[in-house]
Amino acid sequence: MIIASNLKANLTRVKTAEYLSELEKFLSAKNISQEVLVFPASSSLDAHAGRAIIGAQNAYPAQNGAFTGEIGVEHLDEFGIKTILIGHSERRHVIGESQKLIAQKFDFYSKLGFKIVYCIGEPLEVRKSGNEKMMHYLDAQYEGIDANYENLIIAYEPVWAIGTGLTPTLEEIESLHAELKKKSHAPLLYGGSVKITNVKEVLALDNVDGILVGSAALKVEDFCMMIESAQNLEN
Ligand code: 13P
């Protein structure tokens, strides 16, 4: 399974290094065979040797250049980073990234062979408007995206479940994931208020190939417990 933590704008460079060091100790001690990804803040990116894969939360679709506040491929190459998160709901709804820009990033980073964790998800009012409208909304998030890209992981993260403690029911997650699997055979993660207390149930669902965790993964011990849950399910 794929177990990912999105640290968002949390943990400084020093704290991130401590986090990764604790994580690596755990991965080795428990001989974890799950795919573990960590997405630190841009300023906390660094070279990393170990089992966990480090990815960028964002980067501009350019080698470098006049893109104030952004980083380019050059800055990822410096640390050997070949993994990127694209389309996260906070970038769509808080920062205001359009599907057009998101598709440009996807095109750019897929051509470079990056592992892409591509996020989709609907706001609450869309979910409340019924299944047909919701699927239509999610379909639009596949516009300009190569759903057959070989190095693709999709993360379904309902916007209203992110950082709120709310989640869809297990049945809702399972049936939506079954629908989404028809659009792409890429591994499909669930994200949105995953925590130690619900991780086992979520990971056990059909068509859930892993999780993308925010707040509950900020404490490395908790993230490790979630990884161990995944490992135990597979043993
Ligand atoms: P929370 O786990 O805090 O709900 O965040 C999920 C998320 O946005 C991961 O990308």
Side-chain angles (χ1 to χ4, degrees), residues 18 20-31:
E18 285 167 10
L20 292 174
S21 152
E22 287 305 309
L23 176 63
E24 288 298 344
K25 274 189 225 154
F26 167 81
L27 296 178
S28 304
K30 299 275 176 174
N31 206 13

Side-chain angles (χ1 to χ4, degrees), residues 6 8 85 88 90 157 161-164 191-194 212-216:
N6 175 6
K8 307 192 180 184
L85 201 62
H88 191 278
E90 283 144 19
E157 301 201 297
I162 295 178
T164 58
S193 294
V194 176
L212 177 55
V213 190
S215 14

Side-chain angles (χ1 to χ4, degrees), residues 1-2 35 115-118 142 147 149-156 177 180-181 184-190 207-210:
M1 279 188 256
I2 301 166
E35 183 170 340
K115 186 193 288 286
I116 296 178
V117 178
Y118 183 68
Y142 285 79
Y149 174 52
E150 58 181 359
N151 227 346
L152 171 63
I153 297 167
I154 295 177
Y156 169 62
H177 273 231
L180 294 174
K181 278 279 180 172
S184 169
H185 296 303
L188 182 56
L189 315 184
Y190 170 78
N207 293 315
V208 171
D209 303 307

Side-chain angles (χ1 to χ4, degrees), residues 3-151:
I3 311 297
S5 81
N6 175 6
L7 301 178
K8 307 192 180 184
N10 295 297
L11 304 193
T12 58
R13 171 169 290 269
V14 170
K15 294 260 185 241
T16 302
E18 285 167 10
Y19 184 99
L20 292 174
S21 152
E22 287 305 309
L23 176 63
E24 288 298 344
K25 274 189 225 154
F26 167 81
L27 296 178
S28 304
K30 299 275 176 174
N31 206 13
I32 297 291
S33 57
Q34 311 303 305
E35 183 170 340
V36 175
L37 308 178
V38 179
F39 294 91
S42 294
S43 59
S44 303
L45 293 177
D46 208 344
H48 179 73
R51 299 187 186 203
I53 297 170
I54 308 303
Q57 292 173 22
N58 175 52
Y60 203 72
Q63 194 65 27
N64 53 36
F67 307 107
T68 302
E70 296 285 315
I71 58 172
V73 184
E74 193 171 277
H75 307 92
L76 303 180
D77 281 349
E78 184 180 12
F79 303 125
I81 290 168
K82 295 291 276 174
T83 300
I84 187 166
L85 201 62
I86 296 179
H88 191 278
S89 85
E90 283 144 19
R91 296 215 56 93
R92 292 178 189 269
H93 301 291
V94 181
I95 316 287
E97 263 182 34
S98 65
Q99 184 62 29
K100 189 163 169 255
L101 176 59
I102 288 167
Q104 267 172 25
K105 288 185 180 180
F106 192 99
D107 185 59
F108 185 86
Y109 283 98
S110 59
K111 283 190 175 130
L112 293 174
F114 270 60
K115 186 193 288 286
I116 296 178
V117 178
Y118 183 68
C119 303
I120 57 167
E122 82 293 345
L124 191 55
E125 65 275 15
V126 174
R127 174 162 281 248
K128 282 186 174 160
S129 65
N131 201 52
E132 196 176 323
K133 287 203 172 126
M134 181 171 85
M135 290 317 293
H136 190 69
Y137 184 94
L138 293 173
D139 277 346
Q141 296 184 328
Y142 285 79
E143 254 166 48
I145 302 303
D146 175 6
N148 298 316
Y149 174 52
E150 58 181 359
N151 227 346

